[in-house]
Amino acid sequence: MIKTLIIDDEPLAASIVQEFLANYPQFELLDVCQNGFQGLKSIQEHEPDLIFLDVQMPKITGFEMLELLDEPPAVIFTTAFDQYALKAFDAMAIDYLLKPFSQVRFAQAIEKFLAQQAGNGESVQKLNEMAEKRNRLVVRVKNEIKIIPTHEVTFFEAEDDYIAIHTPSGKYLKKMTMKSLEEALDPAKFVRVHRSYLINLNEITKIEPYERDNYLVLLRGGEKVPVSKTGYARLRQVLGL
């Protein structure tokens, strides 16, 4: 049996995980905890193999709880906040389920965990993580969650603590750094041409001189993006110029 805990301060969210988990008889649910302190005590008592962990909880967050453990169990995060995804994967999470998630999405997370348990899951997990981060972005628009395929993005622009995601359908803001975004995207498709700009290579129509050692990239939508000297060197390398 695979010993399992649910740590989530939202009873409805915890009950959904419990309902989905009931379809897998090899998982034994030992406890449902409502905050990080309860979760910490239950982990120390039961020594679970896997925990489903919320991020934002009263008293201490899910990340803070993990920091208190010398040997944390495998973690599948369950949260309504998309901005913690990269941090979750840095913490070696199995998966990151964005509420509300479907039974199909839950099953994918379980499959990742089982693959890792089978011994070859680490590489599978890494590939899945990179595929998810490179192929789509998740943003919150008012009270809704919007998934933006990266191939629809024209360019990214740094705006203070946010990244502006420019698409034909509009502009969206996501709180993250340009560095972390650059590391997550496929370098064969996206290039950082300036400290504040990352462009989709498929959108380029023309590169023209602007000022000394600087250039402008013209995109299909008519946008003009500045290119630094370093960015131009990157562009030349990627485009084989």
Side-chain angles (χ1 to χ4, degrees):
M1 297 294 288
I2 299 169
K3 297 186 293 183
T4 310
L5 300 179
I6 298 172
I7 306 171
D8 197 319
D9 65 314
E10 300 177 31
L12 177 59
S15 67
I16 290 173
V17 173
Q18 191 169 354
E19 176 186 343
F20 290 169
L21 193 64
N23 294 313
Y24 301 88
Q26 68 269 49
F27 288 83
E28 180 185 10
L29 181 60
L30 299 174
D31 199 1
V32 178
C33 309
Q34 296 181 345
N35 59 60
F37 286 129
Q38 290 181 11
L40 185 64
K41 181 179 178 181
S42 189
I43 289 171
Q44 292 170 338
E45 178 182 350
H46 296 291
E47 297 183 349
D49 303 301
L50 173 67
I51 60 173
F52 291 89
L53 179 63
D54 192 9
V55 175
Q56 292 280 39
M57 295 184 293
K59 300 180 181 178
I60 59 174
T61 69
F63 290 118
E64 290 168 337
M65 189 206 75
L66 289 177
E67 290 173 2
L68 298 173
L69 296 168
D70 293 329
E71 296 183 7
V75 181
I76 294 176
F77 281 97
T78 58
T79 178
F81 301 94
D82 66 279
Q83 64 263 38
Y84 301 115
L86 292 177
K87 185 176 180 180
F89 290 127
D90 286 341
M92 299 305 293
I94 298 293
D95 209 339
Y96 189 92
L97 299 178
L98 189 63
K99 300 173 183 175
F101 48 85
S102 66
Q103 190 165 356
V104 171
R105 184 65 184 87
F106 182 87
Q108 292 172 348
I110 292 294
E111 288 169 8
K112 287 184 184 181
F113 171 75
L114 293 174
Q116 187 184 66
Q117 293 296 297
N120 62 349
E122 185 173 355
S123 59
V124 172
Q125 175 191 343
K126 291 295 181 184
L127 288 171
N128 285 333
E129 289 169 7
M130 292 307 295
E132 286 184 10
K133 287 190 286 184
R134 290 185 176 188
N135 291 334
R136 69 180 194 175
L137 293 161
V138 181
V139 297
R140 185 177 292 276
V141 182
K142 295 182 179 179
N143 294 323
E144 297 182 353
I145 296 296
K146 182 174 179 63
I147 297 175
I148 305 172
T150 54
H151 68 82
E152 294 182 2
V153 178
T154 305
F155 68 99
F156 298 93
E157 180 183 6
E159 291 190 5
D160 297 324
D161 294 334
Y162 290 82
I163 296 294
I165 304 168
H166 294 266
T167 75
S169 63
K171 170 184 167 183
Y172 306 91
L173 291 176
K174 185 175 181 69
K175 192 167 187 179
M176 66 186 306
T177 66
M178 186 64 80
K179 183 177 184 296
S180 62
L181 175 64
E182 183 181 12
E183 291 173 350
L185 293 170
D186 187 342
K189 298 177 181 177
F190 290 88
V191 173
R192 189 169 182 177
V193 296
H194 186 280
R195 66 180 180 179
S196 299
Y197 293 91
L198 245 163
I199 63 171
N200 184 339
L201 292 174
N202 289 329
E203 296 293 321
I204 297 176
T205 60
K206 188 177 180 181
I207 304 172
E208 60 182 31
Y210 177 55
E211 294 176 343
R212 181 184 177 185
D213 295 329
N214 287 279
Y215 296 81
L216 283 177
V217 166
L218 277 63
L219 304 178
R220 275 195 282 186
E223 303 91 346
K224 295 183 178 181
V225 176
V227 180
S228 66
K229 181 179 179 180
T230 304
Y232 182 63
R234 288 196 195 105
L235 265 181
R236 291 192 58 173
Q237 181 180 6
V238 174
L239 296 175
L241 300 175

